[in-house]
Amino acid sequence: SIRQRGRTSWEVRAFVGVDPGSAKRLYVSRSVRGTRRDAEVGLTKLLKQLDDGAITARSGSVGELVETWYSHRAPSLSSPVAHNYRRLIDRFILPRWGATSLRRIRVADIDAWYLKLLSAGGARGQPLSPSSVRRIHALFRTMLEQAVKWGALVANPASAASPPPVHRRQVELKATQADWARLVDAAREVNDALALFIRLALASGARRGELCALRWRDIDLFRCEVFIGAALVEAKGVVTEKDTKTHQVRRLSIDEGTIEMLRQHRERLEEICKTSGGMLRKRCFRVLP
């Protein structure tokens, strides 16, 4: 139906079915400005969007969308990422948007929310950093984009929002090889294994979790190579093994000095096992690609 509401404003409305719970007839309406001809064109567009599934009778609330999205997405995420998403959802997104209808989200409201987060969104009302606000924005935009794909929204309002810019400062690394050598020597005074860990990190450039996941089968002491194919992650006090952050495996060449420290570490472990009556598993190198 088409109903004139003002001299140049019209309401177009289409019947979309009956609510199975309340038996109430459901309609979708839109406002159109212009002539009656414009209103007829608007009604035609509305009917096409309904036929295409771009509009549904009930979009639901942001809270419903968030929980549905998370239940679909969480199983495919690593534990730390899923935990971080849940934290952002519970702390920032649901308190502001949980009860809001999806169709009542406005770009201006999103931008006002970002400003509020910047000024007092942190713990105990402290300011939240621009990078933190951008992480919240990225998650919120992803969820609303899924609502578009599911037909609950025609467009994603977060895509037109303006999260704060992050100004990255250029960091100039002035450390020399002598500085790194002093760092390794200082670590050796604390713990030989710590010194090896730092030396291996400097030699390989691998991430902390990747180094923690290394096994002897990943190290070829004869070819001076290290195979990086997994990483350890911690979430809520539980450590699990997963693939690397980039989901890629790498074979790295290591200098002789680092390889010699690995040999010495292996000898120390063998001596500890012999003293305690145990046995260190025999080295069985992985076939490196």
Side-chain angles (χ1 to χ4, degrees), residues 258-285:
T258 304
I259 290 296
E260 180 58 31
M261 289 184 68
L262 283 166
R263 289 195 183 98
Q264 295 173 4
H265 183 61
R266 175 79 188 193
E267 292 172 359
R268 286 195 298 270
L269 294 179
E270 290 175 343
E271 187 64 31
I272 291 173
C273 288
K274 184 184 300 183
T275 303
S276 61
M279 179 181 295
L280 192 63
R281 179 176 295 179
K282 185 179 179 181
R283 284 178 290 181
C284 182
F285 297 128

Side-chain angles (χ1 to χ4, degrees), residues 53-204:
I55 298 178
T56 58
R58 180 175 179 271
S59 294
S61 67
V62 174
E64 292 169 337
L65 167 70
V66 166
E67 297 302 342
T68 303
W69 178 89
Y70 187 79
S71 65
H72 281 78
R73 192 75 176 87
S76 63
L77 300 173
S78 65
S79 296
V81 174
H83 175 68
N84 184 53
Y85 281 179
R86 188 73 250 182
R87 181 183 66 83
L88 296 178
I89 288 169
D90 293 339
R91 184 175 176 184
F92 301 107
I93 296 177
L94 288 182
R96 170 59 182 87
W97 299 102
T100 304
S101 170
L102 283 171
R103 292 197 184 140
R104 294 190 176 276
I105 302 176
R106 300 291 180 266
V107 177
D109 295 334
I110 297 176
D111 287 339
W113 177 46
Y114 293 159
L115 290 176
K116 186 174 182 181
L117 291 175
L118 285 171
S119 62
R124 296 182 297 277
Q126 296 296 311
L128 207 59
S129 69
S131 60
S132 296
V133 175
R134 290 193 71 91
R135 283 193 291 270
I136 297 169
H137 161 74
L139 180 59
F140 194 46
R141 183 184 59 191
T142 299
M143 293 173 173
L144 295 182
E145 190 61 38
Q146 189 62 56
V148 174
K149 295 177 181 178
W150 283 339
L153 285 174
V154 177
N156 184 350
S159 296
S162 304
V166 176
H167 303 289
R168 301 186 182 277
R169 294 183 299 174
Q170 187 68 27
V171 178
E172 183 178 354
L173 188 61
K174 297 182 179 180
T176 64
Q177 285 189 338
D179 295 327
W180 298 129
R182 285 195 294 272
L183 175 62
V184 173
D185 291 339
R188 186 178 287 110
E189 295 179 1
V190 177
N191 188 296
D192 287 332
L194 176 62
L196 172 61
F197 186 88
I198 294 175
R199 177 67 181 260
L200 194 55
L202 293 172
S204 66

